Amino acid sequence: MLSRAFMTPSAHGHAARRAAAAALAALLVAAVALPGAAAADVRRGDLIMGETVEQRDIPAGSCPSIDAQYATLIDGDGTVLFGRGLDTPTHIASITKIMTAIVALEQGSLEEEVTVSAEAASVGESTAGLWAGDKMTLLAALNGMLVPSGNDAAYAIGETLGARMATEGQSPLDAFVAAMNETAAKIGMGGTLFSNPHGLDDGEFDAEMHSTAADVAVMSRYAMGFDTFASIVAQPSVTIEVTRGEEKVPIELTSTDELIGVYEGACGIKTGTTDAAGPSFAGACKREAGTLYAAVLASSSEAQRFADAQALYNWYYGNLVDYPLAHSDEKAAMATEDGEREVPVVAKVACAAWPDKTVKATFADPDQAVEVFALRGNVSQAFELDPPAGGVRAGDRLGRALFYQANELVAEAEVVACEDVPAPGFLENVSIAWSRFWDSLGGKPTMAESVVLNDTPLIYDKAPKVTN
């Protein structure tokens, strides 16, 4: 059965439910870490950055322990950070409504009128409390569909917008569902098939339908690109207004997402539960490090799906590290505006004016660091150095250093001199020119070689492998 929608009789009742949800969430986080709690585990086939836990030889303590049969976590760029059964087809219940919202936002107007038919009002399961004949704006209908998971609102949206999409002999709902599937294909959901706008999958709604954890994450990320969608799903509660006969009727609704206002950064998206789908959740979490999108499908309980999402978020945030760019054992004293300080010598750069001299170099900001996700892989570096043609003073630019993780540029640092090296005088230049002439004839170097001293230490060391 789909997650129930709750009417909010009073502010006191709403506050009490949120407090209870907060306490439950805290207990769930603790329970996941205890032996025997639910069925949360780490599996050797779980994917971390595209490779299995077994392939990467990652310790169990560095992996998320979750209960869901199918799950994924992606970042704001769409990079798959974690996956379990990523491409396995499964039912997704009311998570379907994310696509209903996408099609409505792409093809409808927020102020256009949505009418609730008798069929929409009687669809059953979770509702927004709509009656046959109710009229409202599309914006109100989207709130009624996404916040309390209203099947009635989803059905009404499908009928209303589908009416102008339908071709001859095609029903409005069929036309709307066709648009859902076309959009899914357009945004890269290759493992998804929708058959209705609400996600019910038994009785009269029993039909071929399926999606995958990977596709749900793609769909969630795409939907959050709509400001209207993002603002709706982030609400813990909302009051919508419908026209019922001649009267304006307010309807108070509460979100089925129990992480909003409870878990730092949680900003919605959509729950879903049917017997075929199991308790499932598509969630988003936004912090300074960026936005994460989690898909947790076929968890063991409605409470556990939120614990699973938290476990995925916690795993990512717990593996963010501040990685200093400068790692060198050699130090040098450098004069700065704030006085002399000791800085790491990251390179010795050849002085083009001299045949045998180098200048010690550091980073313009010797304390520069970059925040990286440790399990994305170790950091590598590439120095692009520009040997100075004349004299050098401390602070002069000598090139740059580029830092990569998983072949992606994550930081750039300016390389500067940390000491003075004067240019050669007239007589010295004559002597150097003569010496270089004979060295070139003999195939000898005519200039010192630049040397990089900076290192990129491993972010984490291997520990015992997962054995289950």
Side-chain angles (χ1 to χ4, degrees):
M1 179 164 52
L2 285 172
S3 305
R4 293 178 55 202
F6 296 97
M7 303 299 290
T8 310
S10 68
H12 174 75
H14 173 64
R17 274 192 296 276
R18 302 312 295 182
L24 176 60
L27 288 173
L28 287 171
V29 172
V32 171
L34 294 175
D41 61 0
V42 176
R43 302 177 186 176
R44 288 178 292 181
D46 288 346
L47 295 175
I48 306 292
M49 297 300 302
E51 293 185 305
T52 67
V53 169
E54 185 174 34
Q55 288 171 331
R56 293 194 59 180
D57 199 20
I58 298 176
S62 295
C63 306
S65 179
I66 63 171
D67 166 75
Q69 294 303 305
Y70 319 107
T72 189
L73 183 72
I74 68 174
D75 64 15
D77 295 326
T79 300
V80 179
L81 306 169
F82 172 85
R84 173 181 293 180
L86 270 179
D87 300 313
T88 303
T90 186
H91 288 263
I92 61 171
S94 281
I95 293 173
T96 294
K97 291 170 179 141
I98 299 173
M99 181 54 71
T100 303
I102 291 171
V103 173
L105 289 167
E106 288 189 336
Q107 303 199 31
S109 167
L110 294 178
E111 297 306 315
E112 72 177 281
E113 186 176 79
V114 172
T115 301
V116 181
S117 68
E119 291 77 13
S122 63
V123 69
E125 303 294 347
S126 60
T127 77
L130 304 178
W131 293 9
D134 282 353
K135 299 180 185 299
M136 73 206 81
T137 64
L138 176 58
L139 178 60
L142 287 168
N143 275 275
M145 176 180 71
L146 293 171
V147 176
S149 197
N151 294 325
D152 45 6
Y155 202 106
I157 290 171
E159 281 189 318
T160 300
L161 271 65
R164 64 168 179 262
M165 302 175 185
T167 58
E168 185 176 353
Q170 186 181 36
S171 75
L173 272 184
D174 285 345
F176 189 86
V177 171
M180 292 172 66
N181 286 315
E182 289 170 6
T183 303
K186 178 187 73 176
I187 66 175
M189 297 173 63
T192 296
L193 177 66
F194 296 110
S195 68
N196 61 54
H198 42 67
L200 289 173
D201 52 28
D202 61 357
E204 64 177 298
F205 302 112
D206 184 9
E208 185 180 0
M209 64 183 82
H210 53 79
S211 188
T212 67
D215 281 3
V216 166
V218 168
M219 176 172 64
S220 299
R221 176 171 170 259
Y222 185 84
M224 288 293 277
F226 295 91
D227 291 341
T228 299
F229 180 92
S231 63
I232 290 174
V233 298
Q235 301 172 113
S237 63
V238 66
T239 299
I240 63 173
E241 183 179 82
V242 303
T243 300
R244 186 168 290 166
E246 301 299 321
E247 188 179 1
K248 298 290 187 182
V249 178
I251 302 177
E252 296 181 5
L253 304 166
T254 299
S255 176
T256 58
D257 183 348
E258 296 178 8
L259 295 186
I260 297 174
V262 173
Y263 185 85
E264 181 188 352
C267 48
I269 297 181
K270 193 71 201 70
T271 57
T273 305
T274 63
D275 289 342
S280 302
F281 177 58
C285 187
K286 185 176 184 179
R287 294 187 185 175
E288 188 176 347
T291 303
L292 299 175
Y293 301 95
V296 175
L297 309 179
S299 195
S300 60
S301 70
E302 292 190 2
Q304 184 63 38
R305 63 185 170 183
F306 296 118
D308 283 349
Q310 290 181 90
L312 290 172
Y313 298 149
N314 289 340
W315 166 72
Y316 177 80
Y317 294 127
N319 279 287
L320 288 178
V321 297
D322 284 323
Y323 189 84
L325 301 186
H327 291 94
S328 175
D329 293 333
E330 185 169 339
K331 310 296 179 184
M334 179 178 179
T336 68
E337 293 179 356
D338 300 323
E340 190 173 88
R341 65 165 293 187
E342 186 179 73
V343 297
V345 178
V346 300
K348 292 182 179 179
V349 183
C351 293
W354 294 93
D356 56 358
K357 287 189 178 182
T358 59
V359 56
K360 294 178 180 179
T362 189
F363 293 139
D365 177 4
D367 301 317
Q368 185 178 346
V370 60
E371 187 175 63
V372 296
F373 178 56
L375 296 174
R376 193 184 294 269
N378 291 308
V379 173
S380 62
Q381 65 184 8
F383 275 66
E384 297 176 354
L385 301 175
D386 302 318
V392 182
R393 296 187 62 84
D396 287 352
R397 188 181 187 279
L398 298 175
R400 63 176 183 166
L402 305 175
F403 294 85
Y404 299 88
Q405 190 185 32
N407 297 318
E408 178 185 338
L409 181 67
V410 294
E412 179 178 333
E414 186 176 12
V415 178
V416 299
C418 56
E419 63 177 349
D420 296 342
V421 176
F426 175 76
L427 293 179
E428 288 171 316
N429 272 325
V430 172
S431 175
I432 290 170
W434 184 251
S435 175
R436 280 179 167 165
F437 172 74
W438 289 108
D439 285 343
S440 64
L441 290 178
K444 296 179 180 179
T446 59
M447 187 175 71
E449 184 178 354
S450 295
V451 179
V452 173
L453 302 179
N454 200 53
D455 192 15
T456 51
L458 298 179
I459 294 177
Y460 71 96
D461 295 321
K462 292 181 179 179
K465 294 186 292 185
V466 179
T467 57
N468 62 308

